[in-house]
Amino acid sequence: MDKRSKIALYSIGAIIVLLMIAEVTKPKPLNWRNSYSAADKIPLGCYVLYNELEPFTSSTIETSNESLYERLKDFPNATNTTLLLINDYISVEEEGSNALLEFVENGNTVFISTNYVYGAFADSLNIEIDRDYDGFFKDPSKSIFTNKNLKANERLFRDVIENSFFTSIDTSNTTVLGYMIDENKIRKEVNFTKTPFGDNGGAFYVHSNPFAFTNYHLLNDKADYAATVLSFLPKNNSILWDNYYKSGRKVIKSPLRFILSSPALKWTFYISLIGLIIFVIFKGKRTQRIIPVVEPLKNSTVAFTQTIGDLYYQHGDYSNIIHKKITYFLEFIRTTYYLETNEFSERFIQKLAVKSSNTVQDTKALIDLITFLKSKNNHTEKELIALNKQIEHFTKNTI
């Protein structure tokens, strides 16, 4: 690679490093995405609400990550349960609507807080929620209760709000629990209702200001209002928190989408891609001739040793072979485990077993056999085979 190419490559590398440093050190922008997810700590998430639900039930709190149909079909005869649905819009498929109506008909409670609501269950309750874009869509509005004893917990919402309200309710069966009123007290609209359903005490509580339950408002003097709304729900019911019908629900359908959803993985992917492009540009053309393959010299030592061994074996000189195998094995112990082989004591056997990862029994059996064979002048073929097998077994278990 010439000097000019090196300078260009180093310059590109320096630019990439500077871009990485700038990306890592820049302040993270505040995420104002409408989420309502229990896991999100962003302003419009519901992390605070989900973790403060304990005072509103004397029973359990569960989370559902499935559609209403999939979740409610698992316990069709459930009772004393309150389902919380909080999102920008609640759109339930027909099967889910039927499951929801049956769920409430069995005596359970459903709390819905949303700007829009769609589905067969909404038609059955004769409720519609909308907003007036020409009126006070984003204007400050106060959320109040029909019960005058709750006046202390009413709150004025000045920002981060969309003033949705009921445009249709079943007046013969629905109780109005709250209103929203503009700052000048000129306009008053229904924003909180209760609709009984079935003969077992089940009911729908529908609220049209989901922003009131987000982290932003709960941490900015609106917690009392949200707590008062939830206090209308049955106290002894277990709570089922919906985490499926959420704008911030995490949906990952491909590995690439998962990578791009994480800033760290995204930048790793981009840098790898840039690196590959640079490699292709600068290494696309070979800088030298192809180096011919040179066959390495064959190691004839093994073949020579095999020949000599066969020679000893054919002549029946077992003692000589055993002597050489013992000598080689002891040298192996000295060079590999740094142990002296002058004396085969119990301490020596213990150390050798530990260092070679063999059992003490196997090590002692091999050393005893070596001691026995060294004490003899004449040896048989069976003794040679036994020694060879034990040495192979020993070295096979060696680390």
Side-chain angles (χ1 to χ4, degrees), residues 9 18 75 81 103 123 126 180 203 237 268 280 298 318 320 329 344 365:
L9 184 60
L18 289 174
F75 49 101
T81 301
F103 175 74
D123 297 334
N126 192 25
M180 55 182 293
N237 281 13
T268 303
V280 170
K298 292 184 178 179
Y318 305 120
N320 202 339
F329 178 69
F344 297 152

Side-chain angles (χ1 to χ4, degrees), residues 38-91:
D40 279 340
K41 298 180 181 180
I42 60 177
L44 299 184
C46 283
Y47 178 85
V48 175
L49 176 65
Y50 180 78
N51 287 277
E52 295 295 332
L53 284 176
E54 234 176 87
F56 300 100
T57 178
S58 57
S59 189
T60 59
I61 300 173
E62 297 182 38
T63 301
S64 172
N65 292 303
E66 303 171 303
S67 67
L68 287 175
Y69 174 73
E70 292 173 322
R71 181 63 176 175
L72 298 181
K73 73 178 181 180
D74 294 335
F75 49 101
N77 299 319
T79 56
N80 299 326
T81 301
T82 297
L83 171 64
L84 299 184
L85 293 163
I86 302 173
N87 196 39
D88 260 342
Y89 60 91
I90 301 294
S91 180

Side-chain angles (χ1 to χ4, degrees), residues 17 21 66 137 149 174 199 202 263 316 334-335 357 362 381 385:
V17 171
I21 294 172
E66 303 171 303
F137 171 47
N149 295 326
T174 298
D199 300 324
R334 288 191 293 272
T335 57
S357 296
D362 289 346
E381 181 181 0
I385 293 171

Side-chain angles (χ1 to χ4, degrees), residues 30-52 86 157 160 210-223 226 241:
L30 196 57
N31 186 353
W32 286 96
R33 176 176 55 95
N34 296 356
S35 168
Y36 303 99
S37 171
D40 279 340
K41 298 180 181 180
I42 60 177
L44 299 184
C46 283
Y47 178 85
V48 175
L49 176 65
Y50 180 78
N51 287 277
E52 295 295 332
I86 302 173
F157 291 84
V160 191
F211 291 94
F213 300 97
T214 59
N215 301 327
Y216 178 83
H217 285 302
L218 292 182
L219 297 176
N220 283 279
D221 193 36
K222 306 298 188 299
W241 172 274

